[in-house]
């Protein structure tokens, strides 16, 4: 696939939901859902690494017509997952990143799901999204100086959420 693809997060999420893939939305799109003032043209997820879930994920990627950005054969098995920290895909609906163990987490999906929440995005979609605090933790763990403004914004959003929960 050549050239830029339009980003349709609804189509990407619908394909994952249609196959009942267990995943958590992370990265820039998750930060946007949580209220960050960012633009993104892709979706990053941390999937459950259970073998049945990886089979469902692979089937959803076939449904989307997704291909690896590096041109290699798309295979999601334990060996591939263990060897690659990020698997970048392209599809007619936009880019998708599969990140088995995001920076700052101990076991990816299993670590993130404790604080993640399901969010209504419209069109019947309610994906599970990493918490604001976990998104900040992942950004901090990457250690990129360019991400400092994003990190500060996420920490501010986390403080606002905490104040809201406490009824301040």
């Amino acid at each position: 696939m050549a050239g830029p693809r339009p980003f349709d997060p609804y189509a990407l999420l619908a394909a994952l939901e249609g196959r009942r893939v267990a995943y958590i939305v992370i990265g820039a799109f998750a930060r946007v859902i949580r209220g960050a003032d960012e633009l993104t043209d892709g979706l990053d997820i941390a999937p459950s690494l259970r073998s049945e879930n990886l089979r469902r994920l692979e089937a959803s990627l076939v449904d989307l017509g997704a291909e690896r950005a590096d041109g290699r054969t798309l295979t999601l098995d334990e060996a591939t997952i263990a060897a690659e920290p990020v698997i970048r895909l392209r599809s007619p609906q936009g880019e998708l990143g599969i990140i088995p163990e995001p920076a700052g987490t101990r076991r990816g999906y299993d670590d993130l799901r404790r604080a993640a929440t399901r969010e209504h995005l419209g069109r019947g979609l309610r994906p599970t999204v990493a918490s604001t605090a976990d998104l900040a933790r992942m950004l901090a763990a990457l250690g990129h100086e360019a991400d400092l403004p994003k990190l500060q914004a996420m920490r501010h959003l986390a403080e606002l959420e905490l104040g809201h929960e406490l009824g301040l």
Side-chain angles (χ1 to χ4, degrees):
M1 293 183 186
R5 303 275 176 219
F7 179 45
D8 183 355
Y10 290 105
L12 294 170
L13 293 167
L16 296 168
E17 294 291 323
R19 292 285 186 165
R20 296 184 341 218
V21 176
Y23 66 94
I24 296 174
V25 179
I26 60 172
F29 191 71
R31 293 191 302 270
V32 169
I33 292 169
R34 294 289 181 204
D37 185 18
E38 291 184 51
L39 296 176
T40 185
D41 60 0
L43 175 69
D44 290 334
I45 64 168
S48 167
L49 300 181
R50 295 179 187 203
S51 58
E52 180 56 35
N53 192 64
L54 291 176
R55 282 192 286 278
R56 289 192 301 264
L57 175 57
E58 195 166 359
S60 72
L61 298 173
V62 169
D63 294 346
L64 287 165
E67 298 175 350
R68 288 181 60 119
D70 61 12
R72 295 179 14 212
T73 302
L74 176 59
T75 304
L76 294 179
D77 55 24
E78 289 181 27
T80 303
I81 294 293
E84 298 185 52
V86 178
I87 301 169
R88 292 275 172 220
L89 305 166
R90 293 187 185 130
S91 78
Q93 300 78 14
E95 294 185 12
L96 178 66
I98 298 171
I99 305 169
E101 192 171 320
T105 68
R106 287 187 264 324
R107 290 181 316 277
Y109 175 87
D110 291 330
D111 183 20
L112 295 170
R113 73 182 180 150
R114 65 179 166 62
T117 58
R118 292 181 52 118
E119 299 297 326
H120 295 277
L121 299 185
R123 299 186 191 176
L125 294 171
R126 292 185 62 219
T128 304
V129 180
S131 72
T132 303
D134 283 340
L135 291 167
R137 176 170 53 122
M138 288 182 271
L139 263 177
L142 289 172
H144 299 142
E145 191 171 327
D147 288 339
L148 283 177
K150 296 175 194 174
L151 178 57
Q152 290 170 338
M154 290 312 299
R155 287 180 173 159
H156 180 70
L157 286 171
E159 289 172 7
L160 291 173
E161 286 178 1
L162 182 59
H164 185 268
E165 289 173 11
L166 296 175
L168 301 177

